[in-house]
Amino acid sequence: MIKVLKKSVSIYIAALFLSFAFFYIVAQVAYYAFIQEKVEDYAESILARSDNIILQVREINALREEFSVYTPCSDPYLHALRKRLWPYPLIKDIGYVEDGRIICSALWGKYPAPLSLNVFKNKVSRGSYTWVFDAMIESNITADVVYNNNFSVTVSPFAFTRFREESTRWGLNAVVGDFNHKQHFFRVGNNTSLLENIEHGKVHDLFFIAEKSCDARHDICVVAGVRHSFVFNDNGYILVFLFCVASLVGLIIGALISKNQHENQSLLTRLENAIINKELHFVYQPLYRVKDKSIIGVEVLLRWNDKQMGNIGPDIFIPLAEENGLINKISLYVVEHAIKECGAALREKDITLSINVSCSDICSKTFYQRLVDTLQHEGVAGKHIMLEITERQSGRIEDIMQSIQLYKEHGVLFALDDFGTGYSNLKWLSMLDVDEIKIDKSITDSIGTQSINRHILPGLIAMFKDMPRIIVFEGVENEAQHLFLQGNLPESCAQGWYFSKALAFSEIENLLAQVKQTGECAVQGADNDAAVMTS
Ligand SMILES: Nc1nc2c(ncn2[C@@H]2O[C@@H]3COP(=O)(O)O[C@H]4[C@@H](O)[C@H](n5cnc6c(=O)[nH]c(N)nc65)O[C@@H]4COP(=O)(O)O[C@H]3[C@H]2O)c(=O)[nH]1
């Protein structure tokens, strides 16, 4: 119980972990793409804003002739400056400059003392223009000023406010410079030095997303970038959403896997209990001689009726038993109980009891001993038992060849089951000393049809005619198939619903009382001349 519980917990933990990993990776990839686009937009927007400022500066500068009619810094001069300044939202002030000092401006009027532009963060000369970035205008007031001869333009300190807000929110950085980024004009963000280093190839950072946007007209380039955030820039809601979805999916997957495991586990446990409690029972399907419909034997087929799950077919529980090492127990059960149940019939009548066995059964000493002991105990001769080799993966063919000889000393017969499918091929036929070949239903089905298998039939019939083996066709379902076999291989035998379905033991007893028994089908090779191909 504790083991099962531990296994369930491990399944849930693994499912949750994998689900988290999956959703986290998907979310990270999506987030990376989203941020990359954002950085691209950011660079383009800053470039557009920078272009606009340059245009507005140039436009205002072009108006300087207008002011030359007034005495510099006179009231009419300042009035004309203010009037002209009004429509330019990105420009804060226009001033008159002498010897690199602003004497007066539209905003401040005439300065009591000329404003020196020598205190700044960065100064760049571009043609006839000199840009002074973060120039000290007043104590605690800085601004970007550009002057050309004796005309200055002060850029609005709010021109990049939006970009600074975005920078704070998303951790974005931008550096505005010339086309080759040899000169840097100004920066936005807290990590611009890393951005510059990455831009100049001094630092390589796989998780730093950088995008560039340039305008050759104004010889200006903006590089923007951000460090990829593995916690989605502290966006708590994304993490919470991710956690919820991943938990839900992880729990659903865990529950499905657990349920599946539990069902398989419980089916296996139930099968084990059914064997121990002898709850498996048998039905018997008769085998007929094609020529005269006399019965040559019966095949025992296992049935399992579980109290809770109802009828479970051998196509489900036999492979389950084979995969989980239970098949040998099942075969021991069948041998012991089926021979006991059929003991009287086998002693009195000339029939064989066919039992399905796997290769590992044949090679098992326990199985051999149990069969020999049961035969002795029931007084049944070995020649009444036909072991049908069904599963062929659990044993080496050389070992099986040797083991078969041991059984043969007791007269036990062997059949190669499902001939014509995967493992039941000519190699096995040539190596094993079998008495009977059971032709798979898929080949029987092709009789009288257009199936691809029908091409195999003439060759098989020609081969079987000269083969000293009992040939049994499985799954004969209609008269056409029976007639075909009568016409082509009259000495062969058949099993199928056309003759009889698998019956309970009491019904088989009644049948055996009514129908003639022949002990065995004649081996092939006797009646060849009569055979006519009618397919
Ligand atoms: N459609 C159709 N089916 C027909 C017809 N005639 C017979 N059958 C079915 O074909 C299967 C023949 O058994 P198999 O080839 O040994 O194939 C068997 C055998 O491989 C395995 N099996 C059954 N009982 C045992 C057993 O006691 N031990 C082992 N190891 N395997 C068993 O399970 C397989 C399936 O058994 P069943 O479901 O009983 O199915 C049986 C039988 O009911 C027919 O005319 N039409």
Side-chain angles (χ1 to χ4, degrees):
M1 184 63 192
I2 290 177
K3 211 171 146 191
V4 173
L5 203 69
K6 267 187 185 166
K7 200 168 176 187
S8 269
V9 171
S10 320
I11 288 171
Y12 274 103
I13 291 175
L16 282 170
F17 176 77
L18 290 176
S19 172
F20 275 122
F22 174 76
F23 281 102
Y24 180 75
I25 291 169
V26 169
Q28 277 292 336
V29 170
Y31 194 68
Y32 190 95
F34 167 75
I35 291 293
Q36 196 173 29
E37 187 142 343
K38 185 142 203 77
V39 170
E40 223 174 278
D41 284 352
Y42 194 62
E44 275 169 17
S45 307
I46 291 185
L47 180 73
R49 178 58 49 95
S50 305
D51 276 345
N52 244 331
I53 290 171
I54 292 170
L55 281 176
Q56 292 191 11
V57 165
R58 285 189 182 167
E59 257 182 59
I60 290 181
N61 200 48
L63 299 171
R64 57 202 299 171
E65 289 305 311
E66 251 184 47
F67 310 125
S68 61
V69 293
Y70 308 110
T71 312
C73 295
S74 63
D75 282 347
Y77 180 87
L78 290 173
H79 184 70
L81 289 188
R82 283 176 194 133
K83 247 174 79 179
R84 273 304 184 181
L85 174 65
W86 190 253
Y88 294 98
L90 297 176
I91 306 299
K92 183 79 178 173
D93 203 3
I94 318 173
Y96 181 75
V97 178
E98 257 178 23
D99 302 329
R101 294 175 311 165
I102 303 176
I103 308 295
C104 62
S105 76
L107 188 66
W108 298 90
K110 193 158 174 18
Y111 283 90
L115 173 68
S116 166
L117 294 172
N118 279 338
V119 187
F120 50 77
K121 254 197 194 157
N122 192 16
K123 189 171 180 175
V124 176
S125 290
R126 309 197 87 203
S128 57
Y129 290 90
T130 303
W131 285 82
V132 185
F133 293 101
D134 274 332
M136 178 76 84
I137 305 284
E138 259 288 332
S139 57
N140 293 333
I141 300 178
T142 57
D144 300 332
V145 182
V146 52
Y147 63 90
N148 181 3
N149 295 325
N150 38 26
F151 201 69
S152 78
V153 177
T154 305
V155 177
S156 166
F158 307 108
F160 288 93
T161 304
R162 157 163 106 73
F163 302 103
R164 292 206 167 83
E165 280 168 3
E166 252 184 298
S167 162
T168 316
R169 177 148 183 240
W170 295 98
L172 292 162
N173 302 279
V175 176
V176 183
D178 64 354
F179 206 76
N180 300 317
H181 258 241
K182 282 189 181 139
Q183 283 184 318
H184 289 159
F185 308 148
F186 65 91
R187 300 161 178 77
V188 185
N190 297 327
N191 217 352
T192 48
S193 50
L194 176 62
L195 179 59
E196 279 171 10
N197 285 335
I198 288 171
E199 158 70 5
H200 291 297
K202 290 183 195 158
V203 173
H204 296 280
D205 189 335
L206 200 63
F207 298 109
F208 199 95
I209 307 165
E211 296 291 335
K212 203 171 184 177
S213 189
C214 300
D215 183 353
R217 272 179 318 154
H218 296 140
D219 184 21
I220 188 166
C221 242
V222 178
V223 181
V226 68
R227 189 149 226 296
H228 180 70
S229 166
F230 290 95
V231 286
F232 307 100
N233 264 335
D234 291 332
N235 279 321
Y237 64 90
I238 296 184
L239 286 170
V240 171
F241 179 71
L242 208 67
F243 181 82
C244 293
V245 173
S247 303
L248 192 72
V249 173
L251 287 174
I252 291 173
I253 292 173
L256 288 176
I257 298 174
S258 268
K259 186 172 168 260
N260 192 278
Q261 287 250 334
H262 183 69
E263 272 172 12
N264 272 351
Q265 190 61 40
S266 63
L267 196 66
L268 191 64
T269 316
R270 280 171 182 283
L271 181 59
E272 273 174 321
N273 290 335
I275 298 167
I276 295 167
N277 300 329
K278 302 187 173 39
E279 284 167 9
L280 301 174
H281 66 278
F282 311 115
V283 288
Y284 299 88
Q285 190 175 28
L287 280 78
Y288 290 80
R289 188 160 70 173
V290 164
K291 193 162 66 178
D292 56 6
K293 286 194 177 179
S294 57
I295 293 179
I296 62 143
V298 291
E299 178 181 0
V300 56
L301 295 162
L302 209 45
R303 293 289 177 263
W304 178 20
N305 190 324
D306 182 78
K307 280 185 199 105
Q308 272 183 21
M309 300 172 89
N311 282 329
I312 300 166
D315 49 327
I316 292 175
F317 71 82
I318 293 289
L320 187 73
E322 282 167 358
E323 282 159 23
N324 292 282
L326 271 185
I327 194 68
N328 300 121
K329 271 191 194 169
I330 289 191
S331 299
L332 288 174
Y333 178 84
V334 176
V335 158
E336 196 176 325
H337 292 87
I339 294 179
K340 201 170 174 184
E341 195 165 44
C342 299
L346 294 174
R347 282 190 297 273
E348 289 161 19
K349 300 182 191 301
D350 199 9
I351 55 165
T352 52
L353 171 67
S354 296
I355 301 172
N356 287 292
V357 290
S358 69
C359 286
S360 67
D361 291 325
I362 297 170
C363 299
S364 152
K365 279 192 183 138
T366 317
F367 180 82
Y368 169 79
Q369 205 50 55
R370 183 75 58 92
L371 177 66
V372 172
D373 289 350
T374 311
L375 288 177
Q376 213 171 18
H377 186 263
E378 298 300 323
V380 172
K383 65 172 185 165
H384 290 288
I385 302 299
M386 177 75 76
L387 295 182
E388 287 190 11
I389 310 170
T390 49
E391 187 275 340
R392 283 174 257 276
Q393 284 162 304
S394 59
R396 284 186 342 118
I397 196 161
E398 294 77 13
D399 298 337
I400 299 160
M401 280 163 70
Q402 277 185 7
S403 301
I404 284 181
Q405 295 316 315
L406 288 176
Y407 292 86
K408 292 231 160 192
E409 285 169 18
H410 296 272
V412 174
L413 303 166
F414 280 87
L416 194 61
D417 203 7
D418 305 326
F419 186 84
T421 60
Y423 281 92
S424 195
N425 49 33
L426 288 172
K427 183 187 167 202
W428 280 75
L429 188 56
S430 63
M431 291 183 79
L432 297 183
D433 181 14
V434 293
D435 308 274
E436 180 181 293
I437 305 165
K438 292 192 85 173
I439 312 300
D440 190 68
K441 182 174 181 301
S442 57
I443 295 188
T444 311
D445 283 346
S446 72
I447 295 173
T449 69
Q450 292 305 303
S451 151
I452 194 88
N453 276 348
R454 79 184 195 284
H455 299 299
I456 304 172
L457 264 173
L460 280 181
I461 286 168
M463 182 174 86
F464 293 145
K465 272 180 182 163
D466 298 324
M467 197 174 274
R469 302 274 202 285
I470 302 163
I471 307 295
V472 178
F473 282 83
E474 290 186 298
V476 174
E477 287 184 341
N478 55 52
E479 194 170 4
Q481 293 168 338
H482 178 226
L483 287 176
F484 174 87
L485 295 176
Q486 262 187 340
N488 289 279
L489 277 173
E491 293 302 327
S492 65
C493 295
Q495 177 183 0
W497 296 348
Y498 170 69
F499 300 100
S500 167
K501 287 204 170 184
L503 304 170
F505 180 67
S506 56
E507 292 170 309
I508 271 290
E509 270 184 319
N510 289 340
L511 190 70
L512 288 174
Q514 294 160 18
V515 182
K516 187 174 82 166
Q517 291 96 49
T518 25
E520 66 175 32
C521 282
V523 292
Q524 298 302 313
D527 253 0
N528 289 357
D529 296 343
V532 183
M533 297 284 287
T534 55
S535 155

